[in-house]
Amino acid sequence: MEAIMIGSQSRNSQVKDYICHHFAAEPYSARLAREGSDAKGLKNIHVPENVGKMIQLLTQLKAPKRLLEVGTLGAYSTLWMAEAVDPECKLITLEADEAHAAIARDHIERAGFTDQIEVRLGFAESSMRAMIATNEPPFDLIFIDADKENYPLYLELAIQLSQSGTLILCDNMIPKHGEIGAPDPSDLEAVAIYSCNQQLAHHPRLDVTLFPTIVGDKGRLDALGVALVK
Ligand code: SAH
Ligand code: DHB
Ligand code: MG
């Protein structure tokens, strides 16, 4: 049965709007990226403002010197995090789609972050394996937000690119469809996300929980995985 709505808006979406209005003022750079992404017709799948603020605060708490993002799109989440780091922090964001990478670079340049943020074009798996192979220094914070089918792989590679104290954040840990914790076997994204949740929950090197989030116009419940590498 459908949940009872208050007015025309669900209670969850009212809570989301309340948080966005009072606690998640968008920085100028992120606004520029959101408006630019809309204008250029990118799919509206960036983190909502309430989640942007969550990852920004977690970034501020972590104070990283090296930050890795998996899945750039228009650099909206990238810029939310970039606003919270020291000028010496290097951000690398991985994107497979050439058009997305070009749009992201334009937003990053217009926001004045060109020297600090590198958009690395290519499949995230290859980019991460290349970083491991060339002994790139570990990252202090890694935000995973790309193709959901590869989350279990990205988590393993992220741990290999971590050191003790690294914070790994994973967006969208509650799939859109299906029974909670029991995905339809044909829903490969959901199967991968729940398998990644199991990996998170049982990994000997992680202290972790899911922070519930509210996303989308209808106020769907989702979650941000927050994992500290031991
Ligand atoms: N983090 C962004 C949203 C990312 S959407 C934000 O919140 O603002 C997911 C992005 O991952 C898309 O731009 C998509 O092109 C990219 N992507 C999908 N598969 C990928 C892959 N295999 N490697 C790297 N990027 C990928
Ligand atoms: C969607 C939302 C996301 O945060 C994401 O990373 C991918 C897709 C979506 O709403 O479809
Ligand atoms: Mg996401």
Side-chain angles (χ1 to χ4, degrees), residues 137-216:
F139 292 92
D140 307 301
L141 193 155
I142 302 177
F143 177 51
I144 300 175
D145 191 23
D147 47 323
K148 308 308 167 205
E149 291 90 333
N150 279 318
Y151 265 40
L153 178 59
Y154 296 152
L155 178 62
E156 266 318 316
L157 296 172
I159 293 168
Q160 290 182 52
L161 288 164
S162 295
Q163 60 192 341
S164 176
T166 296
L167 191 61
I168 301 177
L169 306 176
C170 309
D171 197 29
N172 311 117
M173 297 312 281
I174 298 295
K176 271 187 186 170
H177 308 291
E179 211 176 307
I180 304 303
D184 186 322
S186 69
D187 184 348
L188 299 182
E189 287 196 8
V191 168
I193 291 291
Y194 283 118
S195 136
C196 189
N197 276 331
Q198 287 307 305
Q199 225 176 318
L200 282 171
H202 300 294
H203 204 290
R205 282 191 65 197
L206 300 177
D207 264 328
V208 55
T209 194
L210 300 188
F211 287 15
T213 54
I214 311 177
V215 306

Side-chain angles (χ1 to χ4, degrees), residues 7-25:
S8 59
Q9 219 190 354
S10 76
R11 189 166 174 87
N12 284 356
S13 78
Q14 290 182 57
V15 173
K16 180 188 176 216
D17 289 353
Y18 179 80
I19 294 170
C20 288
H21 186 75
H22 295 282
F23 295 98

Side-chain angles (χ1 to χ4, degrees), residues 45-47 71-73 76-77 95-96 100 122-124 145-147 154:
I45 57 171
H46 55 74
V47 293
T72 315
L73 195 66
Y76 182 72
S77 53
E95 177 55 58
H100 294 180
F123 292 117
D145 191 23
D147 47 323
Y154 296 152

Side-chain angles (χ1 to χ4, degrees), residues 23-63:
F23 295 98
E26 207 175 42
Y28 170 78
S29 60
R31 179 178 160 195
L32 185 154
R34 181 175 49 76
E35 291 177 350
S37 300
D38 283 353
K40 286 156 196 148
L42 288 192
K43 258 172 91 182
N44 183 18
I45 57 171
H46 55 74
V47 293
E49 286 146 274
N50 50 314
V51 177
K53 182 71 185 202
M54 237 189 209
I55 62 174
Q56 181 180 79
L57 264 174
L58 290 165
T59 302
Q60 208 171 326
L61 283 166
K62 187 65 233 170

